[in-house]
Amino acid sequence: MTAPLTLHNAHLRMRVDPQGGALLALFSLAHQQPVLREGEGNTAGDCGLFPMLPVANRVAGNRFSQRDTEVLLPNHHADAQFFLHGDGWLKRWAVEAVTDESCRLRLRSQHACGYDYLAQLRYELDASVLRVSLSITHMGNRPMLYGCGFHPFFAFAANSTVQFSASGYWPEGEDHLPLAWQRDIPEEADFTHAQYGADRWLNVGYSGWSGQAVIRHDVMNVTISAQTPWLMLFRMSGQSFLCLEPQTHPVNAHHMPGQPGLRLLGAEESCHFAMQIRVD
């Protein structure tokens, strides 16, 4: 069993756990402050960041239609109803390469429903920027719909604010699935202007995201960038973190007209997704 890897440069230090392909910590040496919440990896999701694949978040009924065929997603121990965030965050990744400032992890996963993939995950420190990239190659004979994303837990205190653009959002409904999209965003979920927001449960998705969000602290700014119009925001009352989750598709896209953002991959076809976290 491979122990967590501690990687660093002159600006940032991170701990990477092959279990779940997770970041246990990302710390700014220049500011002497955590960028992500620190976890021990004792349970699934007890970390600062994990990858979501081959689906992001939840799919209604834990099933979807693909070319007139119903795909029944598997169950796992992290959720009683859903193939929540897929299985990449629950499995142990193999370490392929390590340097002082970067590492590359590999995961092979197969399910009876048709998901059969090879994934590569790379974490790299580049001066004051963390670069995270994910590649998924479908290995099965039958094509499958793929999606992915990243689930970071940013350190977020009472003196912090977050700001990003959006054209509308999906409020949260039953079983944490989205309700109908709406253009009008209520104040507590509207971060087009910088604010801390309400200290309460919030679990919503945004469309029309510009691909950039900024968290400001007293002495440190954190900028999140990804090439996607979809962003998920999650927070819990009384907790000192805020999740901003870039995803290749909106939550429950499998049941939306046109299945936006999802990729149908044939044998040995691949999809790619990347995110950057810059600390100033």
Side-chain angles (χ1 to χ4, degrees), residues 131-177:
R131 304 184 190 277
V132 189
S133 60
L134 178 64
S135 297
I136 307 171
T137 302
H138 181 55
M139 306 301 290
N141 293 321
R142 178 164 65 93
M144 283 292 288
L145 280 173
Y146 280 84
C148 61
F150 299 110
H151 196 308
F153 296 79
F154 291 97
F156 199 71
N159 59 353
S160 304
T161 65
V162 61
Q163 184 175 17
F164 57 85
S165 63
S167 61
Y169 93 127
W170 288 272
E172 183 182 25
E174 188 177 356
D175 294 329
H176 307 299
L177 291 166

Side-chain angles (χ1 to χ4, degrees), residues 4-5 14-25 36 39-41 43-51 88-93 103 105 121 123 151 153:
L5 310 169
M14 64 179 173
R15 292 174 60 221
V16 181
D17 192 350
Q19 177 59 43
L23 268 189
L24 296 181
L36 303 174
E40 296 300 327
T43 59
D46 176 22
C47 62
L49 184 157
F50 62 78
W89 66 301
L90 303 175
K91 293 195 170 183
R92 176 163 289 276
W93 296 61
C103 66
L105 309 179
L121 177 63
Y123 291 106
H151 196 308
F153 296 79

Side-chain angles (χ1 to χ4, degrees), residues 45 50-59 62 73 76 78-79 82-90 117 147-151 153 203 232 234 245 247 249 251:
F50 62 78
M52 300 182 285
L53 69 153
V55 301
N57 213 281
R58 298 166 174 85
V59 178
N62 214 38
L73 293 170
H76 60 49
D79 192 279
F82 301 101
F83 188 47
L84 177 64
H85 304 318
D87 65 340
W89 66 301
L90 303 175
Y117 67 85
C148 61
F150 299 110
H151 196 308
F153 296 79
N203 187 33
M232 193 75 185
F234 172 62
E245 309 160 38
Q247 302 180 173
H249 60 90
V251 176

Side-chain angles (χ1 to χ4, degrees), residues 107-126:
L107 176 66
R108 183 77 167 89
S109 182
Q110 294 174 280
H111 294 278
C113 68
Y115 278 122
D116 183 351
Y117 67 85
L118 173 65
Q120 286 192 328
L121 177 63
R122 180 176 173 83
Y123 291 106
E124 179 185 9
L125 299 178
D126 179 7

